């Protein structure tokens, strides 16, 4: 006879000697969710940065012209910076879908570079730069919080 308050974990892989606990499973779910979040955010940030780069290269009228700015580049120069960062971010975001260690490290680096590039281009398109900085910051947070490294992809 067992005590009425005894709790037995009867989920998959929770038999005797497996060492699997409910807390471990919850951490795995959080890790998978945050990695998926980071992958989608990096893909989104990359695609948006690609569009921003194309607009800069095409010298679109969307951008604000500033005369006295310390980090002044040509609009075309900023366009190429954003286009390249966006393309690399999309590639790394796809790598995150397979939960690759290289993609996690590269994701943090690319998101940090996106933050720096958007900070430096604040005067040209201020609201959009702040939005991109926030998206990249959430990506870095999600990639740094997760410590799980699995061999299968997010959706396997």
């Amino acid at each position: 006879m067992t005590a009425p308050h005894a709790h037995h974990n009867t989920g998959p892989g929770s038999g005797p000697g497996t060492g699997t606990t409910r807390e471990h499973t919850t951490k795995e779910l959080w890790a998978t969710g945050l990695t998926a979040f980071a992958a989608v955010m990096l893909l989104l940030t990359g695609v948006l940065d690609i569009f921003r780069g194309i607009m800069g290269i095409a010298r679109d009228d969307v951008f604000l012209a500033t005369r006295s700015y310390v980090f002044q580049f040509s609009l075309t120069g900023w366009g190429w910076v954003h286009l390249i960062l966006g393309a690399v971010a999309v590639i790394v975001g796809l790598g995150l879908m397979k939960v690759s260690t290289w993609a996690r490290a590269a994701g943090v680096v690319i998101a940090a570079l996106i933050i720096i590039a958007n900070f430096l281009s604040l005067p040209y398109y201020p609201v959009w730069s702040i939005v991109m900085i926030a998206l990249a910051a959430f990506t870095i947070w999600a990639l740094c919080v997760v410590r799980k490294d699995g061999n299968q992809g997010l959706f396997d």
Side-chain angles (χ1 to χ4, degrees), residues 87-149:
V88 173
V90 167
I91 292 167
V92 172
L94 292 172
L96 282 171
M97 293 291 185
K98 287 294 185 183
V99 193
S100 303
T101 304
W102 70 265
R104 183 175 312 239
V108 171
V109 170
I110 291 300
L113 290 174
I114 287 173
I115 287 174
I116 292 168
N118 280 284
F119 175 76
L120 294 176
S121 63
L122 264 168
Y124 299 105
Y125 207 34
V127 174
W128 192 249
S129 293
I130 292 170
V131 169
M132 294 296 285
I133 288 169
L135 289 174
F138 279 124
T139 302
I140 291 172
W141 171 77
L143 290 173
C144 291
V145 170
V146 177
R147 297 179 196 245
K148 177 183 178 271
D149 184 31

Side-chain angles (χ1 to χ4, degrees), residues 49-105:
D49 231 16
I50 288 171
F51 288 144
R52 184 175 182 178
I54 291 170
M55 288 187 310
I57 293 168
R59 297 178 182 256
D60 200 341
D61 293 336
V62 173
F63 295 97
L64 178 69
T66 306
R67 292 184 182 193
S68 57
Y69 181 52
V70 176
F71 303 108
Q72 187 172 0
F73 287 152
S74 71
L75 195 54
T76 304
W78 278 120
W80 281 107
V81 167
H82 288 287
L83 182 67
I84 292 168
L85 283 175
V88 173
V90 167
I91 292 167
V92 172
L94 292 172
L96 282 171
M97 293 291 185
K98 287 294 185 183
V99 193
S100 303
T101 304
W102 70 265
R104 183 175 312 239

Side-chain angles (χ1 to χ4, degrees), residues 1 14 16 20 23 38 43-44 69 78 109 115:
M1 182 169 173
S14 61
T20 303
E23 180 181 329
L43 284 167
L44 177 65
Y69 181 52
W78 278 120
V109 170
I115 287 174

